[in-house]
DNA sequence: TTAAATAGGACTAAAATAGTACTCATTGAA
DNA sequence: TTCAATGAGTACTATTTTAGTCCTATTTAA
């Protein structure tokens, strides 16, 4: 289905919440309460995001997590990468090394092309884009004549 | 990892082979021999591709499979769709119906945006593109001044 | 020192995927 | 008309991946 893992989906829910008060520290437990995702799972996700430098953590009592940088600079690609590892449609897109189809290999280069296109797409969308209201206001076109009334 | 299933990868290997002699009928067994993929697996894949109208089948002795249309008109998206079902990054991209995150739903609309972009990409690449030699000749840029020499 | 956090890793359970097998239907040719 | 080759359909099993939990160690404010 070419789908993202549930954890990745959760991650975006969590991150969107954190965008709202970017400067605040959020503890795992707090995030769990707000999002309704079980606390151990939330922790797991947060840890992965820290490891990938999407979030920064502060340890100890009164510790918590915050965004590592502005939402405009956190790409969807980086979030997926944090949760699921390198974005690669096929084994071959990741590395030629342990590929089985030695016989059908003419193709390989092409998946890489598709893969690259998708990567570009995912890098063009940021967390900031994700939290925009679902329905963007339609652009209003004003007849030029109105400007002279 | 945002990856395709193995079967989808196999499918492209099989299809690329079939592109070579588009008019010929290919039996599952023959395809299995050529590609090195086990025959039952090949059959499974071929059946799915027929159901999705990517291939046409002819039953009975001397039967086999052939492409349902020109390689230029078989998109990567349709192959993925045949093997894995509708392309949807998240549950919500497919349908709002059975979605769990009622609380985090502001996001949903945005995955749909990303999903649409990816869908466009996958529809822009066809089987014909996949079988092209791996290295495309680089485009040669000629300084405009040369045109006047 | 204690309580509230995160870090890291190991483990279990559940779900999805891959692969196989079996039976039925179709058709060309002996 | 029968047989052999071939696809259709479906059910099943094994494997792999993913999700989810838990335990222990570390850090730090009060
Ligand atoms: S490296 Fe995978 S098909 Fe060649
Ligand atoms: S429909 Fe899935 S988050 Fe709303």
């Amino acid at each position: 289905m070419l789908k993202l893992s549930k954890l990745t989906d959760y991650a975006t829910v969590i991150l969107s919440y954190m965008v709202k008060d970017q400067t605040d520290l959020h503890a795992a437990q707090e995030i769990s309460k707000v999002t309704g995702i079980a606390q151990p799972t939330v922790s797991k996700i947060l840890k992965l995001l820290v490891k990938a430098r999407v979030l920064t953590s502060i340890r100890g009592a009164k510790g918590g997590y915050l965004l590592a940088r502005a939402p405009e600079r956190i790409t969807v690609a980086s979030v997926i990468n944090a949760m699921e590892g390198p974005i690669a449609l096929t084994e071959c897109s990741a590395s030629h090394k342990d590929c089985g189809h030695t016989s059908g290999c003419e193709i390989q280069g092409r998946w890489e092309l598709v893969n690259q296109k998708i990567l570009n797409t995912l890098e063009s969308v940021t967390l900031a884009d994700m939290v925009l209201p679902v329905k963007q206001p339609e652009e209003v076109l004003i007849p030029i004549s109105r400007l002279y009334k």
Side-chain angles (χ1 to χ4, degrees), chain A residues 71-145:
Chain A
E72 291 78 19
R73 294 180 52 226
I74 298 177
T75 65
V76 169
S78 70
V79 175
I80 295 177
N81 200 80
M83 303 303 300
E84 316 186 17
I87 293 166
L89 292 182
T90 61
E91 301 299 329
C92 317
S93 311
S95 87
H96 270 246
K97 298 298 151 62
D98 32 33
C99 165
H101 338 134
T102 14
S103 63
C105 189
E106 316 86 45
I107 295 178
Q108 174 271 320
R110 291 293 138 179
W111 272 128
E112 197 147 308
L113 174 85
V114 176
N115 199 60
Q116 188 59 52
K117 283 190 179 188
I118 286 180
L119 199 53
N120 289 345
T121 299
L122 295 175
E123 274 173 349
S124 74
V125 182
T126 71
L127 202 52
D129 300 319
M130 297 283 286
V131 297
L132 290 176
V134 171
K135 295 202 176 178
Q136 261 183 324
E138 290 177 42
E139 187 168 356
V140 179
L141 300 174
I142 302 178
I144 197 168
S145 58

Side-chain angles (χ1 to χ4, degrees), chain A residues 48-68:
Chain A
L48 285 169
L49 291 171
V50 168
K51 198 152 78 177
R53 299 170 186 275
V54 170
L55 296 180
T56 305
S57 65
I58 292 176
R59 299 179 68 164
K62 306 263 171 172
Y65 298 88
L66 33 71
L67 298 184

